[in-house]
């Protein structure tokens, strides 16, 4: 593909995590900071986010998506996951 036929880049695809403003949520046992990586990198259909969840809190209530999948990477700490009606420890 010729470079002159590519759409112009309006948002850099490589960004520093800390350049993305976090959104904080704290209500009951739910508390987190979320940085929306996909939109910051200029994606249109990739819903990638970085969550920081304090110890003893959770990121979301148990829920199910009918049309999409979720992948979680736990980089530090652990918690409890829920899949197919079962809770399991994430270490």
């Amino acid at each position: 593909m010729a470079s002159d036929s590519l759409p112009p880049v309006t948002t850099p695809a490589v960004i520093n995590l800390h350049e993305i403003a976090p959104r904080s949520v704290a209500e009951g046992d739910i508390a987190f900071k979320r940085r929306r990586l996909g939109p910051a990198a200029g994606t249109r259909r990739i819903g990638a986010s970085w969550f920081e969840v304090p110890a003893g809190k959770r990121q979301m209530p148990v829920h199910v998506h009918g049309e999409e999948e979720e992948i979680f990477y736990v980089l530090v700490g652990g918690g409890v996951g829920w899949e197919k009606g079962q809770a399991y420890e994430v270490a």
Side-chain angles (χ1 to χ4, degrees), residues 46-68:
I46 298 175
S49 294
W50 176 284
F51 285 90
E52 294 175 52
V53 183
K57 297 295 184 178
R58 64 163 124 180
Q59 177 250 349
M60 291 283 167
V62 174
H63 63 282
V64 175
H65 294 280
E67 296 292 324
E68 63 185 51

mmCIF file of all heavy atoms in Angstrom, residues 46-68:
data_model
loop_
_atom_site.group_PDB
_atom_site.id
_atom_site.type_symbol
_atom_site.label_atom_id
_atom_site.label_comp_id
_atom_site.label_asym_id
_atom_site.label_seq_id
_atom_site.Cartn_x
_atom_site.Cartn_y
_atom_site.Cartn_z
ATOM 1 N N ILE A 46 -11.294 -0.715 19.938
ATOM 2 C CA ILE A 46 -10.590 -1.474 20.969
ATOM 3 C C ILE A 46 -10.842 -0.795 22.306
ATOM 4 O O ILE A 46 -10.484 0.349 22.506
ATOM 5 C CB ILE A 46 -9.079 -1.558 20.685
ATOM 6 C CG1 ILE A 46 -8.849 -2.303 19.367
ATOM 7 C CG2 ILE A 46 -8.357 -2.248 21.839
ATOM 8 C CD1 ILE A 46 -7.406 -2.339 18.930
ATOM 9 N N GLY A 47 -11.462 -1.515 23.219
ATOM 10 C CA GLY A 47 -11.786 -0.962 24.530
ATOM 11 C C GLY A 47 -10.750 -1.359 25.565
ATOM 12 O O GLY A 47 -11.063 -2.143 26.452
ATOM 13 N N ALA A 48 -9.545 -0.890 25.435
ATOM 14 C CA ALA A 48 -8.486 -1.231 26.390
ATOM 15 C C ALA A 48 -8.407 -0.158 27.471
ATOM 16 O O ALA A 48 -8.385 1.024 27.169
ATOM 17 C CB ALA A 48 -7.146 -1.341 25.664
ATOM 18 N N SER A 49 -8.354 -0.617 28.732
ATOM 19 C CA SER A 49 -8.252 0.298 29.867
ATOM 20 C C SER A 49 -7.239 -0.217 30.867
ATOM 21 O O SER A 49 -6.975 -1.422 30.936
ATOM 22 C CB SER A 49 -9.602 0.446 30.575
ATOM 23 O OG SER A 49 -10.546 1.083 29.752
ATOM 24 N N TRP A 50 -6.698 0.692 31.665
ATOM 25 C CA TRP A 50 -5.791 0.375 32.768
ATOM 26 C C TRP A 50 -6.526 0.762 34.038
ATOM 27 O O TRP A 50 -6.897 1.923 34.205
ATOM 28 C CB TRP A 50 -4.510 1.183 32.618
ATOM 29 C CG TRP A 50 -3.522 1.023 33.728
ATOM 30 C CD1 TRP A 50 -3.594 1.581 34.978
ATOM 31 C CD2 TRP A 50 -2.316 0.283 33.702
ATOM 32 N NE1 TRP A 50 -2.507 1.233 35.709
ATOM 33 C CE2 TRP A 50 -1.687 0.430 34.955
ATOM 34 C CE3 TRP A 50 -1.675 -0.486 32.727
ATOM 35 C CZ2 TRP A 50 -0.478 -0.162 35.262
ATOM 36 C CZ3 TRP A 50 -0.475 -1.066 33.032
ATOM 37 C CH2 TRP A 50 0.109 -0.903 34.289
ATOM 38 N N PHE A 51 -6.745 -0.208 34.917
ATOM 39 C CA PHE A 51 -7.428 0.039 36.177
ATOM 40 C C PHE A 51 -6.453 -0.112 37.331
ATOM 41 O O PHE A 51 -5.659 -1.051 37.349
ATOM 42 C CB PHE A 51 -8.569 -0.962 36.395
ATOM 43 C CG PHE A 51 -9.786 -0.702 35.558
ATOM 44 C CD1 PHE A 51 -9.922 -1.270 34.309
ATOM 45 C CD2 PHE A 51 -10.810 0.096 36.038
ATOM 46 C CE1 PHE A 51 -11.049 -1.044 33.540
ATOM 47 C CE2 PHE A 51 -11.943 0.325 35.284
ATOM 48 C CZ PHE A 51 -12.064 -0.252 34.028
ATOM 49 N N GLU A 52 -6.529 0.786 38.294
ATOM 50 C CA GLU A 52 -5.834 0.651 39.568
ATOM 51 C C GLU A 52 -6.923 0.508 40.620
ATOM 52 O O GLU A 52 -7.749 1.402 40.774
ATOM 53 C CB GLU A 52 -4.981 1.881 39.852
ATOM 54 C CG GLU A 52 -3.830 2.058 38.872
ATOM 55 C CD GLU A 52 -3.082 3.358 39.124
ATOM 56 O OE1 GLU A 52 -2.675 3.596 40.278
ATOM 57 O OE2 GLU A 52 -2.933 4.126 38.158
ATOM 58 N N VAL A 53 -6.909 -0.640 41.309
ATOM 59 C CA VAL A 53 -7.943 -0.948 42.292
ATOM 60 C C VAL A 53 -7.295 -1.073 43.670
ATOM 61 O O VAL A 53 -6.410 -1.906 43.851
ATOM 62 C CB VAL A 53 -8.673 -2.259 41.925
ATOM 63 C CG1 VAL A 53 -9.812 -2.539 42.904
ATOM 64 C CG2 VAL A 53 -9.207 -2.193 40.494
ATOM 65 N N PRO A 54 -7.714 -0.266 44.641
ATOM 66 C CA PRO A 54 -7.130 -0.365 45.990
ATOM 67 C C PRO A 54 -7.433 -1.717 46.632
ATOM 68 O O PRO A 54 -8.457 -2.343 46.352
ATOM 69 C CB PRO A 54 -7.820 0.758 46.770
ATOM 70 C CG PRO A 54 -8.440 1.648 45.753
ATOM 71 C CD PRO A 54 -8.707 0.799 44.540
ATOM 72 N N ALA A 55 -6.546 -2.154 47.511
ATOM 73 C CA ALA A 55 -6.741 -3.403 48.254
ATOM 74 C C ALA A 55 -8.077 -3.372 48.983
ATOM 75 O O ALA A 55 -8.468 -2.348 49.546
ATOM 76 C CB ALA A 55 -5.602 -3.601 49.246
ATOM 77 N N GLY A 56 -8.806 -4.470 48.931
ATOM 78 C CA GLY A 56 -10.088 -4.575 49.621
ATOM 79 C C GLY A 56 -11.268 -4.016 48.843
ATOM 80 O O GLY A 56 -12.400 -4.082 49.298
ATOM 81 N N LYS A 57 -11.020 -3.441 47.659
ATOM 82 C CA LYS A 57 -12.102 -2.882 46.832
ATOM 83 C C LYS A 57 -12.266 -3.731 45.583
ATOM 84 O O LYS A 57 -11.483 -4.620 45.300
ATOM 85 C CB LYS A 57 -11.781 -1.436 46.430
ATOM 86 C CG LYS A 57 -11.676 -0.492 47.608
ATOM 87 C CD LYS A 57 -13.011 -0.357 48.314
ATOM 88 C CE LYS A 57 -12.949 0.667 49.444
ATOM 89 N NZ LYS A 57 -14.239 0.832 50.091
ATOM 90 N N ARG A 58 -13.297 -3.439 44.815
ATOM 91 C CA ARG A 58 -13.483 -4.124 43.547
ATOM 92 C C ARG A 58 -13.677 -3.117 42.427
ATOM 93 O O ARG A 58 -14.075 -1.976 42.662
ATOM 94 C CB ARG A 58 -14.608 -5.126 43.616
ATOM 95 C CG ARG A 58 -15.961 -4.531 43.876
ATOM 96 C CD ARG A 58 -17.000 -5.524 43.512
ATOM 97 N NE ARG A 58 -17.904 -5.822 44.588
ATOM 98 C CZ ARG A 58 -18.889 -6.676 44.448
ATOM 99 N NH1 ARG A 58 -19.048 -7.318 43.333
ATOM 100 N NH2 ARG A 58 -19.721 -6.899 45.428
ATOM 101 N N GLN A 59 -13.442 -3.593 41.224
ATOM 102 C CA GLN A 59 -13.483 -2.730 40.056
ATOM 103 C C GLN A 59 -14.901 -2.599 39.502
ATOM 104 O O GLN A 59 -15.273 -1.543 39.028
ATOM 105 C CB GLN A 59 -12.509 -3.299 38.995
ATOM 106 C CG GLN A 59 -12.462 -2.574 37.704
ATOM 107 C CD GLN A 59 -13.084 -3.401 36.588
ATOM 108 O OE1 GLN A 59 -13.368 -4.574 36.722
ATOM 109 N NE2 GLN A 59 -13.313 -2.758 35.479
ATOM 110 N N MET A 60 -15.677 -3.652 39.563
ATOM 111 C CA MET A 60 -17.054 -3.636 39.047
ATOM 112 C C MET A 60 -17.869 -4.681 39.786
ATOM 113 O O MET A 60 -17.322 -5.650 40.288
ATOM 114 C CB MET A 60 -17.096 -4.006 37.555
ATOM 115 C CG MET A 60 -16.504 -3.005 36.614
ATOM 116 S SD MET A 60 -17.642 -1.644 36.391
ATOM 117 C CE MET A 60 -16.570 -0.481 35.593
ATOM 118 N N PRO A 61 -19.189 -4.530 39.807
ATOM 119 C CA PRO A 61 -20.011 -5.631 40.314
ATOM 120 C C PRO A 61 -19.992 -6.778 39.299
ATOM 121 O O PRO A 61 -19.638 -6.576 38.131
ATOM 122 C CB PRO A 61 -21.405 -5.016 40.423
ATOM 123 C CG PRO A 61 -21.392 -3.836 39.534
ATOM 124 C CD PRO A 61 -19.964 -3.371 39.425
ATOM 125 N N VAL A 62 -20.381 -7.966 39.730
ATOM 126 C CA VAL A 62 -20.459 -9.105 38.815
ATOM 127 C C VAL A 62 -21.431 -8.746 37.695
ATOM 128 O O VAL A 62 -22.517 -8.236 37.935
ATOM 129 C CB VAL A 62 -20.931 -10.368 39.562
ATOM 130 C CG1 VAL A 62 -21.163 -11.513 38.596
ATOM 131 C CG2 VAL A 62 -19.913 -10.750 40.631
ATOM 132 N N HIS A 63 -21.010 -8.988 36.448
ATOM 133 C CA HIS A 63 -21.863 -8.687 35.300
ATOM 134 C C HIS A 63 -21.470 -9.583 34.126
ATOM 135 O O HIS A 63 -20.444 -10.245 34.167
ATOM 136 C CB HIS A 63 -21.752 -7.204 34.911
ATOM 137 C CG HIS A 63 -20.380 -6.807 34.456
ATOM 138 N ND1 HIS A 63 -19.348 -6.569 35.336
ATOM 139 C CD2 HIS A 63 -19.864 -6.626 33.223
ATOM 140 C CE1 HIS A 63 -18.257 -6.247 34.656
ATOM 141 N NE2 HIS A 63 -18.547 -6.273 33.373
ATOM 142 N N VAL A 64 -22.284 -9.588 33.086
ATOM 143 C CA VAL A 64 -22.058 -10.412 31.901
ATOM 144 C C VAL A 64 -22.214 -9.536 30.667
ATOM 145 O O VAL A 64 -23.106 -8.689 30.610
ATOM 146 C CB VAL A 64 -23.085 -11.576 31.846
ATOM 147 C CG1 VAL A 64 -22.934 -12.369 30.568
ATOM 148 C CG2 VAL A 64 -22.952 -12.473 33.062
ATOM 149 N N HIS A 65 -21.345 -9.771 29.687
ATOM 150 C CA HIS A 65 -21.454 -9.093 28.390
ATOM 151 C C HIS A 65 -21.930 -10.111 27.360
ATOM 152 O O HIS A 65 -21.356 -11.194 27.250
ATOM 153 C CB HIS A 65 -20.099 -8.538 27.940
ATOM 154 C CG HIS A 65 -19.575 -7.452 28.804
ATOM 155 N ND1 HIS A 65 -20.004 -6.162 28.704
ATOM 156 C CD2 HIS A 65 -18.653 -7.462 29.796
ATOM 157 C CE1 HIS A 65 -19.370 -5.415 29.593
ATOM 158 N NE2 HIS A 65 -18.552 -6.186 30.275
ATOM 159 N N GLY A 66 -22.947 -9.772 26.606
ATOM 160 C CA GLY A 66 -23.458 -10.685 25.592
ATOM 161 C C GLY A 66 -22.677 -10.683 24.302
ATOM 162 O O GLY A 66 -22.548 -11.698 23.640
ATOM 163 N N GLU A 67 -22.118 -9.555 23.932
ATOM 164 C CA GLU A 67 -21.493 -9.421 22.617
ATOM 165 C C GLU A 67 -19.992 -9.153 22.648
ATOM 166 O O GLU A 67 -19.397 -8.937 21.607
ATOM 167 C CB GLU A 67 -22.177 -8.287 21.835
ATOM 168 C CG GLU A 67 -23.625 -8.548 21.532
ATOM 169 C CD GLU A 67 -23.819 -9.677 20.532
ATOM 170 O OE1 GLU A 67 -22.998 -9.806 19.602
ATOM 171 O OE2 GLU A 67 -24.786 -10.434 20.695
ATOM 172 N N GLU A 68 -19.382 -9.108 23.817
ATOM 173 C CA GLU A 68 -17.948 -8.822 23.860
ATOM 174 C C GLU A 68 -17.267 -9.680 24.903
ATOM 175 O O GLU A 68 -17.912 -10.272 25.760
ATOM 176 C CB GLU A 68 -17.682 -7.342 24.145
ATOM 177 C CG GLU A 68 -18.180 -6.886 25.488
ATOM 178 C CD GLU A 68 -18.008 -5.392 25.691
ATOM 179 O OE1 GLU A 68 -18.425 -4.610 24.833
ATOM 180 O OE2 GLU A 68 -17.460 -5.029 26.733
#
